[in-house]
Amino acid sequence: QVQLVESGGGLVQPGGSLRLSCAGSGFTLEYYAIGWFRQAPGKEREGVSCITSSDGSTYYADSVKGRFTISRDNAKNTVYLQMNSLQPEDTAVYYCAAHSSWDPICSFNTFEYDYWGQGTQVTVSS
């Protein structure tokens, strides 16, 4: 059974850090582009970051550039999102998703992604 499971969310103070994990089971994440998305209450789901399968190129939304870092650990079949300098506006449910693609680029188009995790809540508040 193909499954993505996010973990690592929680409550953090402004300026703090969290590392989200996206673990795959039933398939090999190495061969998929992986995206991180988030959805705040009353807002549309938005792309945060993605990493390609072909060469590990990374992409970030302007709102998180310089603060978030996406990475892969193929041995653990896991993709991470390191989030630093968190702000209240980063509060959302964070989802990872997998897109079967060997393209040298990845996108934030949700319709391109084949598998989704259940999400993990990130709350930034003092």
Side-chain angles (χ1 to χ4, degrees), residues 44-123:
E44 291 188 355
R45 192 168 297 189
E46 64 174 354
V48 173
S49 180
C50 64
I51 184 167
T52 65
S53 55
S54 56
D55 62 358
S57 295
T58 59
Y59 299 83
Y60 299 93
D62 288 343
S63 59
V64 306
K65 205 169 291 184
R67 300 189 297 125
F68 291 11
T69 304
I70 190 171
S71 62
R72 289 181 180 269
D73 185 336
N74 291 332
K76 295 184 177 180
N77 207 32
T78 300
V79 172
Y80 301 99
L81 184 68
Q82 177 68 42
M83 306 187 297
N84 298 329
S85 302
L86 284 162
Q87 299 301 319
E89 53 265 34
D90 295 315
T91 296
V93 177
Y94 283 71
Y95 301 88
C96 67
H99 171 43
S100 178
S101 169
W102 203 248
D103 289 345
I105 60 173
C106 55
S107 79
F108 295 146
N109 295 321
T110 57
F111 60 85
E112 292 185 359
Y113 287 80
D114 306 293
Y115 306 111
W116 290 82
Q118 82 290 347
T120 185
Q121 176 71 47
V122 171
T123 303

Side-chain angles (χ1 to χ4, degrees), residues 14-63:
S17 298
L18 286 173
R19 187 178 78 158
L20 305 184
S21 299
C22 172
S25 62
F27 70 120
T28 304
L29 294 189
E30 180 179 0
Y31 303 121
Y32 288 74
I34 304 297
W36 281 100
F37 296 79
R38 66 187 181 186
Q39 189 166 18
K43 294 188 176 181
E44 291 188 355
R45 192 168 297 189
E46 64 174 354
V48 173
S49 180
C50 64
I51 184 167
T52 65
S53 55
S54 56
D55 62 358
S57 295
T58 59
Y59 299 83
Y60 299 93
D62 288 343
S63 59

Side-chain angles (χ1 to χ4, degrees), residues 2 7 13 15-16 24 35 65 110 112 126:
V2 172
S7 61
Q13 292 186 342
K65 205 169 291 184
T110 57
E112 292 185 359
S126 55

